[in-house]
Amino acid sequence: MPAGRCRSIGICCLSIEPLKANGEQRTSMSDSIKHECGVALLRLRKDAAYYERKYETRSYGFQKVALMLEKQHNRGQDGAGIASLHLLPEQGRPCYDLEKSCAQLPLADLLTRCSKRLEEDPLAFRGEVFLGHLRYATFGRHELSACHPFVRESAFLDRLLILAGNFNLTDTHELSEALAAGGHHLSSKADGAVILQCIAHALEHERSLYGSFRGLKPILRNAAEKFDGAFVLCGILGDGSAFALRDANGIRPAYYYFDDEVAVVASERPAIQAAFNCATGEVRELPPGKALIIHPDGEVELIDCLDPKPRRACVFERIYFSRANDAEIHAERKHLGHALVPQLVRALHGDLENAFVSYIPNSAQVCFHGLLEALLSVALHDGHTVRFGQVAVKDAKFRTFISDVQARKELAMHVYDVTYGLVRPGSDTLIVLDDSIVRGNTMRRAILPILDRLGPKKIIVASSAPPILYPDCYGIDMATLNELVAFNALILCLKEIGREAALSEAYESAKHQLTLPPERQHNVLSTLYNLVPLADLIDAITRLLTPEGLRAEVQVVFQTIDDLHRCCPNHLGDWYFTGDYPTPGGNQVVNRALVNYMENRNERAY
């Protein structure tokens, strides 16, 4: 079988040989951050003949789950998978079909091979329950065994479990140790394998304790109440039961919709709207701590599962991750652009006539529209005009395989090109809006040098997000401190004010914190940031972002925390900006990250 592909008709795929040709760590020339996965769960609530009569296809379910995956392809470029369960399987034939891929274009490869099986086999992927997944390799693992859905086999249909999700746990090690102490042998300690085994164990425990199946609520609660982290878990049992469970803080997103024909869950609302032509108000958010249960007979039930906790939905979803064709996200990103205008007007000293406004493609585009609307309003009031356009152009197909490191750095800046003739050399201030600044590598190595070719007297970089000060452990790929430009700016500031000893003191404190249970730990790194005024930190970030030899003056403007909360009032999960982690494991991760940095260990903190 070719590397990067998996075909199964009822065989667990957790031990497939790792991908080699496509499985190596990929080097990105952009400063993008890897993030959350995407899920799509679909249950057909009518018999197969109904869909064939009405929609003139025997593959209605597959077509819809494929469409939902395609509409969420931004959530996963490293792996994809689809499982289809048959409610009344023939004896001698597996009850489910499964395909996975981690090829170079995994979703396209997956759908191509599924379509081929549809042509060859009259029953393949024509079940009543579907579970699809798109994977972003947060840990850089491009192996087929890491691709969802995962399967826990059993000849008893109500004990067979198919699982996929969008999750990152901080306590995977502790969970795996507890399972091992209970007699379990785990072939993998990855969080997906651990979560699968935890739910399977709860399922078996329920059986042995009560001798019967009391429903999914006690099983899901028993397993998930131990999880520290962020998760949306979607699963199918072989008897046709299905579920979607969201973490109690609501960190990861999930939406659902059902009518007489279907019940569906996805990571993004527009994916459901596109697939089923429903209005925004008909697609509901799955509340934190709730589970959507789909019973074998197709009935849908929303239940309380996990104890309530403060809602801390990830705000990066609104800034960067989710696609902006969601009505609420579109409005929020425009508000983020509006909120930056007072700072920008001050940075320009009111001189709008000698300013040109643009953005870094592509995720900042909607925010740019909001910024532009507010700037135009200010200009109209003061009798000025606003010049704007797309100065930076990203070449999405640019690739280089040059082995020489210096040559590769030289070519990296050409991922972006510029539009000439818009900026007036020597007189204009060029404003460029970006969604966020994480590592700063692309800004320093590519964007600022190529914008400088246009000859602006000043470049103002505006970030729709506040400075990212802390590592994340709930899905975003920023787990080491030395990758964050804001943390490097902090080190620079501490040296400049003669407080380097505070770093050593914080290191000793963090080591002590790690001897305590997670729930008793506090964020030691925040004490270091408290020593440096925000304005000084931003000045240091600006200096670190400015490449040597740049002719234009550079200024960086960040969104404020207050404005962020005002623009995204229902998504207050801001720990990467504030250090206010929603679970105890977050404080443990940030303390371990500080210890790793001080001990020069370039490894993840969870």
Side-chain angles (χ1 to χ4, degrees), residues 265-284:
V265 177
S267 296
E268 297 197 22
R269 187 199 325 257
I272 298 175
Q273 292 183 252
F276 300 100
N277 192 28
C278 47
T280 298
E282 295 178 290
V283 183
R284 301 174 183 177

Short mmCIF file of all heavy atoms in Angstrom, two decimals, residues 265-284:
data_model
loop_
_atom_site.label_atom_id
_atom_site.label_comp_id
_atom_site.label_asym_id
_atom_site.label_seq_id
_atom_site.Cartn_x
_atom_site.Cartn_y
_atom_site.Cartn_z
N VAL A 265 -23.05 17.66 13.38
CA VAL A 265 -22.18 18.47 14.21
C VAL A 265 -20.93 18.80 13.39
O VAL A 265 -20.43 17.96 12.64
CB VAL A 265 -21.76 17.72 15.50
CG1 VAL A 265 -20.78 18.55 16.32
CG2 VAL A 265 -22.97 17.34 16.32
N ALA A 266 -20.43 20.03 13.52
CA ALA A 266 -19.20 20.43 12.83
C ALA A 266 -18.47 21.47 13.65
O ALA A 266 -19.05 22.10 14.55
CB ALA A 266 -19.49 20.95 11.42
N SER A 267 -17.21 21.69 13.31
CA SER A 267 -16.40 22.67 14.03
C SER A 267 -16.75 24.10 13.65
O SER A 267 -16.49 25.02 14.42
CB SER A 267 -14.90 22.43 13.77
OG SER A 267 -14.50 21.19 14.28
N GLU A 268 -17.33 24.28 12.45
CA GLU A 268 -17.66 25.63 12.00
C GLU A 268 -19.09 25.68 11.48
O GLU A 268 -19.54 24.78 10.76
CB GLU A 268 -16.68 26.10 10.92
CG GLU A 268 -15.24 26.20 11.43
CD GLU A 268 -14.36 27.03 10.52
OE1 GLU A 268 -14.90 27.85 9.75
OE2 GLU A 268 -13.13 26.87 10.59
N ARG A 269 -19.78 26.75 11.83
CA ARG A 269 -21.17 26.92 11.44
C ARG A 269 -21.38 26.99 9.92
O ARG A 269 -22.29 26.35 9.38
CB ARG A 269 -21.72 28.19 12.10
CG ARG A 269 -23.21 28.38 11.92
CD ARG A 269 -23.69 29.81 12.16
NE ARG A 269 -22.97 30.49 13.20
CZ ARG A 269 -23.43 30.70 14.44
NH1 ARG A 269 -24.63 30.26 14.77
NH2 ARG A 269 -22.71 31.36 15.32
N PRO A 270 -20.55 27.76 9.17
CA PRO A 270 -20.79 27.86 7.72
C PRO A 270 -20.69 26.53 6.98
O PRO A 270 -21.31 26.38 5.92
CB PRO A 270 -19.71 28.85 7.25
CG PRO A 270 -19.38 29.66 8.46
CD PRO A 270 -19.49 28.71 9.59
N ALA A 271 -19.91 25.59 7.51
CA ALA A 271 -19.82 24.28 6.86
C ALA A 271 -21.18 23.59 6.88
O ALA A 271 -21.59 22.96 5.89
CB ALA A 271 -18.78 23.42 7.57
N ILE A 272 -21.89 23.69 8.00
CA ILE A 272 -23.23 23.11 8.09
C ILE A 272 -24.20 23.87 7.19
O ILE A 272 -25.03 23.27 6.49
CB ILE A 272 -23.70 23.12 9.55
CG1 ILE A 272 -22.77 22.27 10.42
CG2 ILE A 272 -25.15 22.62 9.65
CD1 ILE A 272 -23.09 22.31 11.90
N GLN A 273 -24.10 25.19 7.19
CA GLN A 273 -24.99 26.00 6.36
C GLN A 273 -24.81 25.68 4.88
O GLN A 273 -25.79 25.59 4.13
CB GLN A 273 -24.74 27.48 6.61
CG GLN A 273 -25.15 27.96 7.99
CD GLN A 273 -24.94 29.46 8.15
OE1 GLN A 273 -24.03 29.89 8.86
NE2 GLN A 273 -25.77 30.26 7.50
N ALA A 274 -23.56 25.52 4.45
CA ALA A 274 -23.30 25.22 3.04
C ALA A 274 -23.84 23.86 2.66
O ALA A 274 -24.39 23.67 1.57
CB ALA A 274 -21.80 25.30 2.77
N ALA A 275 -23.70 22.88 3.56
CA ALA A 275 -24.11 21.52 3.23
C ALA A 275 -25.61 21.34 3.24
O ALA A 275 -26.16 20.57 2.44
CB ALA A 275 -23.46 20.54 4.20
N PHE A 276 -26.31 22.06 4.12
CA PHE A 276 -27.74 21.81 4.29
C PHE A 276 -28.62 23.03 4.05
O PHE A 276 -29.81 23.00 4.35
CB PHE A 276 -27.98 21.23 5.70
CG PHE A 276 -27.24 19.95 5.92
CD1 PHE A 276 -26.04 19.94 6.62
CD2 PHE A 276 -27.71 18.76 5.39
CE1 PHE A 276 -25.33 18.77 6.81
CE2 PHE A 276 -27.02 17.58 5.58
CZ PHE A 276 -25.82 17.58 6.28
N ASN A 277 -28.03 24.09 3.51
CA ASN A 277 -28.79 25.27 3.09
C ASN A 277 -29.71 25.78 4.19
O ASN A 277 -30.90 26.00 3.99
CB ASN A 277 -29.62 24.94 1.83
CG ASN A 277 -30.18 26.20 1.19
OD1 ASN A 277 -29.59 27.28 1.31
ND2 ASN A 277 -31.31 26.08 0.52
N CYS A 278 -29.12 25.96 5.38
CA CYS A 278 -29.91 26.44 6.51
C CYS A 278 -29.42 27.82 6.94
O CYS A 278 -28.30 28.23 6.63
CB CYS A 278 -29.85 25.46 7.68
SG CYS A 278 -28.20 24.88 8.09
N ALA A 279 -30.26 28.54 7.64
CA ALA A 279 -29.94 29.89 8.06
C ALA A 279 -29.01 29.88 9.26
O ALA A 279 -28.90 28.89 9.98
CB ALA A 279 -31.22 30.65 8.41
N THR A 280 -28.36 31.01 9.48
CA THR A 280 -27.42 31.14 10.60
C THR A 280 -28.10 30.78 11.92
O THR A 280 -27.54 30.06 12.75
CB THR A 280 -26.86 32.57 10.66
OG1 THR A 280 -26.13 32.84 9.47
CG2 THR A 280 -25.95 32.74 11.86
N GLY A 281 -29.30 31.28 12.14
CA GLY A 281 -29.99 31.04 13.40
C GLY A 281 -30.41 29.61 13.62
O GLY A 281 -30.72 29.22 14.76
N GLU A 282 -30.45 28.80 12.56
CA GLU A 282 -30.84 27.40 12.71
C GLU A 282 -29.69 26.51 13.17
O GLU A 282 -29.92 25.39 13.63
CB GLU A 282 -31.38 26.87 11.37
CG GLU A 282 -32.66 27.52 10.91
CD GLU A 282 -33.12 26.98 9.56
OE1 GLU A 282 -32.46 27.28 8.55
OE2 GLU A 282 -34.14 26.25 9.54
N VAL A 283 -28.47 27.00 13.02
CA VAL A 283 -27.29 26.24 13.44
C VAL A 283 -26.89 26.76 14.82
O VAL A 283 -26.53 27.92 14.97
CB VAL A 283 -26.13 26.39 12.45
CG1 VAL A 283 -24.95 25.54 12.88
CG2 VAL A 283 -26.58 26.00 11.04
N ARG A 284 -26.94 25.90 15.79
CA ARG A 284 -26.72 26.32 17.17
C ARG A 284 -25.34 25.92 17.66
O ARG A 284 -24.76 24.93 17.21
CB ARG A 284 -27.78 25.70 18.08
CG ARG A 284 -29.21 26.08 17.68
CD ARG A 284 -30.22 25.33 18.51
NE ARG A 284 -31.59 25.64 18.09
CZ ARG A 284 -32.66 25.06 18.61
NH1 ARG A 284 -32.54 24.16 19.57
NH2 ARG A 284 -33.86 25.39 18.17
#
